Structures are given as C-alpha cells and as structure tokens.
C-alpha cells in the first residue's frame, strides 16, 4: 500500500477532494492511504508560528524550518535524508521545482512506498528544508499558484490512478495521453448523429484494424495541433 501524507497550513482546503471516483475506490480497497496534516500542529513556540519575515528583506512571509522538520521527524521517523526508509519521497511543491510529467507519476506509482508532500505558501519555504529534507522539488506547470495545495492534489491524483488495480478492469491507463508520448485520440459515444453532427464513419463499422489506424492518425493530428513540442522534443519530453 502506498502512503501519502500532505503537510499544509490549510488542511480544510482538502475537504473531500480525495473522496471521489478512483481515489475513493483506491482508499477503500487499501491500495492507498492519504492523510492531511496541519503544519500548525508542529509549531511549538508560544504563538504557534509557521511563517516569518524573509532575511534580507522583501515582500511576504517564508514558511519556517522548525515545524516542517518536526513534522518530517514525526511522519518518517528522521530528518536525516540519508536515513529515510527505502522508497520514501519528500516532495516540495513549488514553482521552482522540476516540471512534473506523466513519466514521473508512473515512476512514483511503480516504486514509491511513502510520499510526504510539503505545500509551499506565501513567498516561499526556508531553503534549508529543500537542502536537507526534500528528495523531489516539483512544479506542476509554468504558472504561480498561491500555494502548493492544488499541486499536491494534482500529483496525488495522477499517481493514485496508476497504482496497480486502482482503475477498474473496464478501464486502463494504457491509452492515456502521454503514455506513448502523444495526446489521446478523440472519443465519441451515442447518438451517432446529434444535431446534424455525425460520428466518423470508421468508428461505426467494427473494423478494429481500421479503427486503430484512425485513432493513431487522430492522436498525431491532435498532438501536432495542441502540443507540437511533444513531437520535436523541444521541452525535453522525448
Ligand atoms: N506552488 C505555487 N506554484 C506552484 C506550481 N506551479 N507547482 C507546484 N507548486 C506550486
């Protein structure tokens, strides 16, 4: 079973996000356990402070070391990165992180046993957290969120659905976008004709070789139109 712990100053933000669909089923089937922790529970000074002003001046507040180190010691048993149990990851969500890809989701799903996600906030997190505790600093895209919380949800979701047996037997991740370096092909369902818009004839004739060929062509067309970088390897995807 994969264990995911999320460290945040806004635990309520996560409400019921992990209680629907595939993630809910995976939790019930004990394929994954997800726990959300309030960073403030690890702030032991008299004001339970989790953030402070940046050294050197500047805008905003920086998440402090002490509560994060205490939380990691509690969740993993040590704050010595070299002593983490095998297949343990401490992920820091930040716009400065490495871009997260489907291949990363697959690697976590294949190998990880315990993932602790630290949701950054404000102007940042004291860099000593990164230098000492973090194994993977991850960004979900080239835009700035007001905190790492939505990113933690995105990453947890993308990993959990790839865990063995998380998808029902009637679905599979094999044909997902990115699984072969391309976007997924278009899909249609009934009615075959809707307000004069008809479904491509080839999908109705039951010829699976032809359908497969059509799907490959359409996946390539879609990729060329929306994500030509995937074909040229411009962003290092291929
Ligand atoms: N926190 C703020 N922006 C982020 C991003 N793009 N990815 C991950 N965490 C973030």
């Amino acid at each position: 079973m994969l264990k995911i712990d999320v460290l945040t100053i806004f635990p309520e933000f996560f409400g019921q996000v992990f209680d629907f669909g595939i993630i809910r089923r995976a939790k019930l089937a004990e394929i994954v356990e997800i726990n959300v922790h309030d960073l403030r529970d690890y702030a032991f000074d008299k004001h339970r402070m989790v953030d402070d002003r940046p050294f050197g001046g500047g805008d905003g507040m920086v998440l402090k070391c002490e509560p994060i180190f205490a939380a990691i010691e509690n969740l993993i048993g040590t704050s010595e990165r070299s002593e983490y149990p095998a297949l343990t990851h401490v992920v820091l969500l930040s716009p400065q992180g490495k871009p997260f890809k489907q291949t990363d989701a697959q690697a976590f799903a294949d190998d990880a046993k315990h993932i602790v996600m630290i949701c950054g906030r404000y102007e940042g997190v004291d860099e000593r957290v990164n230098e000492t505790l973090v194994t993977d600093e991850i960004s979900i895209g080239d835009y700035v969120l007001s905190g790492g919380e939505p990113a933690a949800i995105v990453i947890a979701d993308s990993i959990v659905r790839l865990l063995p047996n998380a998808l029902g037997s009637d679905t599979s991740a094999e044909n997902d976008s990115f699984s072969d370096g391309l976007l997924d092909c278009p899909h249609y369902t009934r009615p075959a004709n809707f307000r004069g818009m008809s479904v491509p004839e080839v999908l109705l004739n039951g010829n699976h070789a032809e359908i497969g060929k059509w799907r490959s062509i359409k996946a390539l067309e879609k990729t060329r139109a929306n994500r030509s970088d995937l074909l040229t390897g411009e962003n290092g995807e291929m």
Side-chain angles (χ1 to χ4, degrees), residues 202 207-219:
V202 59
N207 182 332
H208 290 285
E210 264 186 50
I211 292 171
K213 209 174 344 159
W214 180 89
R215 286 180 170 157
S216 300
I217 292 167
K218 290 293 166 185

Side-chain angles (χ1 to χ4, degrees), residues 8-23:
T8 172
I9 59 163
F10 294 133
E12 294 86 359
F13 182 91
F14 291 84
Q16 303 182 65
V17 281
F18 299 129
D19 292 337
F20 296 92
I22 291 163
I23 301 196

